[in-house]
Amino acid sequence: MVKAIQLDQGSGGRAMHELVSGLFMRAFANEHLLELNDSALLHMEGGSMALTTDSYVVDPVIFPGGDIGSLAVHGTVNDLAMRGARPLYLTAGFILEEGLPIELLERIVTSMGQAARAAGVLIVAGDTKVVPRGKADKLFINTAGVGVAPPGLKIGGQYARPGDAVLVNGTLGDHGMAVLCKREGLTFENEIMSDSAALNGLVEEILRYTKDVHVLRDPTRGGVATTLNEIARQSHVGIVLHEEAIPVAPDVAGACEMLGLDPLYVANEGKVLVILPTGVAEGVLDVMRSHPLGRRSCRIGSVVDEEPERVFLRTRIGGHRLIDMLRGEPLPRIC
Ligand code: MG
């Protein structure tokens, strides 16, 4: 174990998993936390309450397709929606650096308010702290989110079953590459836009069509590769991805290639992995494609009983490649 916190312990990948399971899980251990899902589903009379928390440290604070304020709303709403819950209330804690222009703060808070209204949630409590110049970078936002789930819904990373299909609602890696290109001043023919979006409306449509959904998970830090590894471990199943089916926008693919990144490991903020029985997959894909956030929905893989707890990529030329969790931290402060 390292003696001081390293950047990759915040990556969403392997090092962060080791930190979380070795330290936080041991200190706080309880059945809800040990499920390792996007939010805790707390059972109450008449249904369940979903509860989550998140922090946002993205650099730059404004990027193509969003900003730290809208991202905070989307990320928190999505973690609630991933348990099949209807997001209702958020809290927001702001840590501001001395010298932050009020105009910038106003722009971000206004955008945050708009994102909350659009997602149908209320920001009902908040907190503000200011730290001396240099002790934080512009602003950080911490949120909590509360939602309600109907009784009996069983959606979580532990419910994937062999024979399930793996669906996604569009192209991969857009958010990570939008933030990275903005930060590094890289320009392409078209500006790469973040996919940051609230997914609760799309999830609601899916669940209106069928309750036969096993897993919903937003592939944020660590990307689809890391998220599917988490699910494979939680459910003790294998997952096979089909390379030719994985949707990546041409500019994102080009930027990734130039920087030596794999879009499977790059963060998304408006994508959901849907894992459900193959028999309902086609119908759910139709539902997803008729939603504005799901036009490019497709099936990217399958859950299998061979090779439990591992993820494989079936390549275009018929090869079989092991897809591990993210190692290292190629993209710090992406959300
Ligand atoms: Mg999540």
Side-chain angles (χ1 to χ4, degrees):
M1 192 71 157
V2 292
K3 293 271 182 250
I5 286 293
Q6 312 286 307
L7 260 183
D8 66 352
Q9 289 176 306
S11 66
R14 178 177 293 275
M16 195 181 87
H17 277 264
E18 282 166 4
L19 175 70
V20 168
S21 56
L23 183 63
F24 297 112
M25 286 295 169
R26 254 194 298 168
F28 304 153
N30 62 67
E31 54 176 320
H32 304 290
L33 196 60
L34 288 170
E35 274 192 3
L36 291 169
N37 279 314
D38 288 315
S39 52
L41 218 46
L42 309 169
H43 302 293
M44 302 178 306
E45 230 171 288
S48 301
M49 178 178 75
L51 176 64
T52 190
T53 183
D54 220 330
S55 300
Y56 296 86
V57 299
V58 64
D59 171 36
V61 292
I62 294 175
F63 49 82
D67 56 72
I68 191 170
S70 56
L71 182 65
V73 170
H74 295 157
T76 310
V77 162
N78 292 348
D79 278 345
L80 296 170
M82 296 305 120
R83 300 304 305 276
R86 186 157 62 91
L88 293 174
Y89 303 112
L90 267 51
T91 69
F94 293 86
I95 297 166
L96 310 176
E97 184 191 12
E98 176 192 15
L100 176 75
I102 292 289
E103 201 180 294
L104 180 59
L105 179 62
E106 206 176 339
R107 182 171 165 188
I108 287 165
V109 173
T110 302
S111 154
M112 194 168 178
Q114 283 166 353
R117 280 187 292 278
V121 295
L122 299 173
I123 298 172
V124 293
D127 177 57
T128 309
K129 298 284 194 303
V130 179
V131 298
R133 206 180 288 270
K135 301 292 184 189
D137 186 5
K138 298 184 194 67
L139 78 154
F140 299 148
I141 303 176
N142 174 264
T143 60
V146 173
V148 287
L153 213 53
K154 277 185 123 180
I155 297 173
Q158 66 272 47
Y159 299 124
R161 291 292 167 266
D164 284 355
V166 181
L167 317 179
V168 71
N169 62 315
T171 53
L172 303 185
D174 302 19
H175 175 75
M177 294 318 290
V179 171
L180 186 71
C181 290
K182 180 74 181 172
R183 187 194 300 163
E184 304 299 330
L186 303 172
T187 49
F188 297 91
E189 211 168 287
N190 307 301
E191 192 171 41
I192 296 174
M193 300 278 282
S194 167
D195 60 339
S196 179
L199 294 163
N200 51 329
L202 175 63
V203 167
E204 221 171 278
E205 292 296 318
I206 295 171
L207 294 178
R208 207 197 312 272
Y209 175 79
T210 179
K211 301 280 186 288
D212 205 4
V213 173
H214 293 164
V215 185
L216 296 168
R217 186 62 76 76
D218 53 343
T220 53
R221 274 174 307 170
V224 163
T226 303
T227 304
L228 288 178
N229 266 280
E230 292 167 2
I231 295 167
R233 283 166 207 201
Q234 281 175 274
S235 295
H236 310 290
V237 294
I239 297 178
V240 178
L241 290 175
H242 307 285
E243 188 176 32
E244 79 284 350
I246 293 170
V248 182
D251 285 331
V252 170
C256 280
E257 200 173 311
M258 207 180 85
L259 297 165
L261 297 168
D262 181 342
L264 276 178
Y265 289 90
V266 178
N268 311 276
E269 290 289 350
K271 292 297 166 338
V272 54
L273 291 165
V274 183
I275 301 182
L276 36 56
T278 293
V280 290
E282 276 309 315
V284 167
L285 279 172
D286 286 341
V287 170
M288 291 168 72
R289 287 174 186 144
S290 61
H291 189 279
L293 296 175
R295 298 268 179 253
R296 296 198 57 189
S297 296
C298 57
R299 177 174 182 169
I300 59 168
S302 308
V303 179
V304 296
D305 50 15
E306 306 94 73
E307 301 275 6
E309 309 200 2
R310 286 169 186 270
V311 179
F312 285 91
L313 183 71
R314 192 170 297 150
T315 64
R316 282 191 183 83
I317 53 167
H320 225 56
R321 181 154 68 84
L322 181 68
I323 298 290
D324 203 354
M325 280 193 175
L326 177 71
R327 287 169 187 271
E329 173 51 301
L331 304 173
R333 294 186 60 187
I334 216 75
C335 60

